[in-house]
Amino acid sequence: MKILVTGGAGFIGSNFIFHMLDTYKDYKIVCIDALTYAGNLTTLQNVMDNQNFKFIKGDITDRDFINQLFEDEMFDIIVNFAAESHVDRSIEDPSIFLKTNVLGTQVLLDASRKYNVKRYHQVSTDEVYGDLPLDQPNLFFMEDTPIHTSSPYSASKASADLLVQAYYRTFKLPITISRCSNNYGPYHFPEKLIPLIISRALNDENLPVYGTGENVRDWLYVEDHCIAIDKIIHNGRVGEVYNVGGHNERTNLEVVKTILHELDKPETLIKFVTDRAGHDMRYAIDPTKITNELGWEPTTTFEEGIKRTIKWYLENKEWWEDILSGDYQNYYEKMYVGR
Ligand code: NAD
Ligand code: TYD
């Protein structure tokens, strides 16, 4: 089996590569990544010498590159992680989100048709469903919840999902889609809430919480997401969407306070800042379909996962300190100073 993983130098894609190389000793994995600000080759250094792994720098929006790659490699399965993934950046400048997330997906779908891949899997997000109100905790996102996006990021991911479904209906391309809740774990880029809070708390810097901090996210340890995608590409039904999440809802303030408690840092570091425009209130997944059809269930609780994540950030300071010392500094100043 030969699998193309796009965006594998990023957070979830890299964890998926580690999971697949560990689990299937006879699979070949090819990773392509454009190495944007979010892609980091040092993340993949432990697998670079693995005979079953190959890294190629490349952009999913580059049609000639993608067609040549598909011709050379003859993939069985495509798993598309490559994307612009940060909501705040999409509010600053939506253009690259449309280019990468929508047009890049189209390029991959066209190549998948042309070279008859056995499965095209689109890694999507629960953000395509918009948000849920805080006062109805019994409401969850189901696979047939209407698409109702809030940010340019979620709109671009939803557009890609619709395109993937259109290629199934019109061209019979064998596709699947997973829509997962917020992930956390090793190699998470420190612009996202959990790694941002861990890295800043370790440096005794203030911790920006948007609005009142009562927005709710449904957190899933990244390895559980990888296992879900593994199950879907092997046993998921073609043409289907699978929601992935584990009923681990927390307010942002609860998450921040948990991290402070684990690190033995004071809550006085918390600084409430101007809210995100269009900020989604609550995300919450109902994973009944993937549990019933594929036997998937999350294996890591939030309490356990957050401890493991903090331990990883403590033991791998070099990885995130390198990031913080580069362009990231300009990003932080632009987005947060005076907010
Ligand atoms: P990430 O930003 O950490 O990684 C994205 C990777 O894609 C980076 O390595 C980047 O260099 C690469 N990339 C960007 N543009 C590219 C292009 N044009 N061609 C090739 N590579 C390109 O993101 P992530 O958090 O790992 O998310 C991966 C996927 O999972 C995304 O599609 C995202 O929408 C989805 N997702 C993320 C979460 C989450 O909580 N992080 C939850 C659900 C779904
Ligand atoms: P984020 O990690 O950006 O994921 P998403 O917006 O895709 O859910 O943010 C998670 C939550 O944390 C979201 O409600 C916004 C909030 N947040 C803060 O309060 N402060 C921050 O500095 C960041 C990055 C996010």
Side-chain angles (χ1 to χ4, degrees), residues 87-141:
V87 172
D88 293 329
R89 285 184 192 255
S90 82
I91 296 169
E92 285 295 298
D93 180 10
S95 305
I96 185 71
F97 284 74
L98 298 191
K99 182 171 183 233
T100 298
N101 299 2
V102 186
L103 299 179
T105 297
Q106 188 213 352
V107 168
L108 291 171
L109 289 168
D110 285 338
S112 299
R113 264 188 84 200
K114 188 167 174 198
Y115 294 96
N116 291 315
V117 303
K118 297 193 185 80
R119 179 68 66 86
Y120 174 92
H121 182 75
Q122 178 75 357
V123 181
S124 187
T125 163
D126 62 354
E127 300 194 28
V128 302
Y129 299 121
D131 62 353
L132 297 164
L134 288 182
D135 60 359
Q136 286 172 273
N138 52 338
L139 278 186
F140 295 94
F141 295 138

Side-chain angles (χ1 to χ4, degrees), residues 5-299:
V5 175
T6 70
F11 166 44
I12 310 174
S14 59
N15 278 284
F16 180 73
I17 289 168
F18 305 148
H19 166 79
M20 294 302 282
L21 289 171
D22 269 358
T23 312
Y24 303 99
K25 301 292 181 200
D26 55 342
Y27 281 21
K28 303 273 182 222
I29 308 282
V30 177
C31 167
I32 62 159
D33 197 296
L35 299 179
T36 68
Y37 80 93
N40 192 341
L41 259 194
T42 59
T43 300
L44 293 172
Q45 71 191 6
N46 286 343
V47 293
M48 280 299 187
D49 292 336
N50 187 316
Q51 298 291 308
N52 288 334
F53 178 72
K54 182 155 78 179
F55 177 83
I56 302 169
K57 183 171 187 259
D59 190 323
I60 60 165
T61 67
D62 181 343
R63 194 174 281 277
D64 292 339
F65 162 73
I66 291 294
N67 280 335
Q68 190 61 53
L69 177 78
F70 276 58
E71 170 118 29
D72 293 345
E73 301 283 350
M74 297 309 289
F75 299 113
D76 297 296
I77 298 177
I78 313 301
V79 185
N80 182 26
F81 292 92
E84 289 293 330
S85 67
H86 191 34
V87 172
D88 293 329
R89 285 184 192 255
S90 82
I91 296 169
E92 285 295 298
D93 180 10
S95 305
I96 185 71
F97 284 74
L98 298 191
K99 182 171 183 233
T100 298
N101 299 2
V102 186
L103 299 179
T105 297
Q106 188 213 352
V107 168
L108 291 171
L109 289 168
D110 285 338
S112 299
R113 264 188 84 200
K114 188 167 174 198
Y115 294 96
N116 291 315
V117 303
K118 297 193 185 80
R119 179 68 66 86
Y120 174 92
H121 182 75
Q122 178 75 357
V123 181
S124 187
T125 163
D126 62 354
E127 300 194 28
V128 302
Y129 299 121
D131 62 353
L132 297 164
L134 288 182
D135 60 359
Q136 286 172 273
N138 52 338
L139 278 186
F140 295 94
F141 295 138
M142 310 288 290
E143 284 78 1
D144 59 1
T145 299
I147 300 278
H148 185 80
T149 58
S150 311
S151 70
Y153 163 68
S154 56
S156 69
K157 292 296 289 184
S159 306
D161 281 14
L162 295 176
L163 207 53
V164 172
Q165 287 175 315
Y167 274 59
Y168 169 63
R169 167 88 185 239
T170 304
F171 304 120
K172 311 270 182 295
L173 186 72
I175 64 96
T176 38
I177 298 175
S178 51
R179 294 184 179 145
C180 190
S181 59
N182 286 60
N183 284 212
Y184 67 103
Y187 301 107
H188 202 181
F189 195 85
E191 67 185 353
K192 306 284 171 61
L193 180 71
I194 288 183
L196 180 126
I197 297 298
I198 297 173
S199 55
R200 289 185 67 82
L202 283 172
N203 288 333
D204 298 306
E205 292 167 318
N206 65 41
L207 310 176
V209 171
Y210 299 167
T212 55
E214 62 190 344
N215 305 64
V216 170
R217 296 294 183 264
D218 182 359
W219 294 98
L220 186 72
Y221 194 63
V222 62
E223 206 176 292
D224 280 324
H225 185 189
C226 297
I227 295 169
I229 296 172
D230 174 354
K231 285 187 184 288
I232 295 168
I233 60 177
H234 286 101
N235 299 314
R237 282 185 296 137
V238 165
E240 293 292 313
V241 173
Y242 292 90
N243 283 353
V244 183
H247 292 298
N248 269 312
E249 289 178 50
R250 298 284 185 287
T251 67
N252 293 339
L253 207 49
E254 282 169 339
V255 169
V256 173
K257 286 184 178 175
T258 303
I259 295 170
L260 286 172
H261 180 76
E262 289 295 326
L263 290 174
D264 202 18
K265 297 283 182 181
E267 289 185 8
T268 49
L269 286 177
I270 294 172
K271 184 181 173 217
F272 292 97
V273 300
T274 309
D275 209 353
R276 171 187 281 172
H279 198 172
D280 280 335
M281 275 326 293
R282 171 176 169 248
Y283 301 146
I285 285 272
D286 182 334
T288 305
K289 179 174 175 182
I290 189 168
T291 301
N292 287 350
E293 282 190 20
L294 305 178
W296 177 89
E297 274 182 353
T299 57

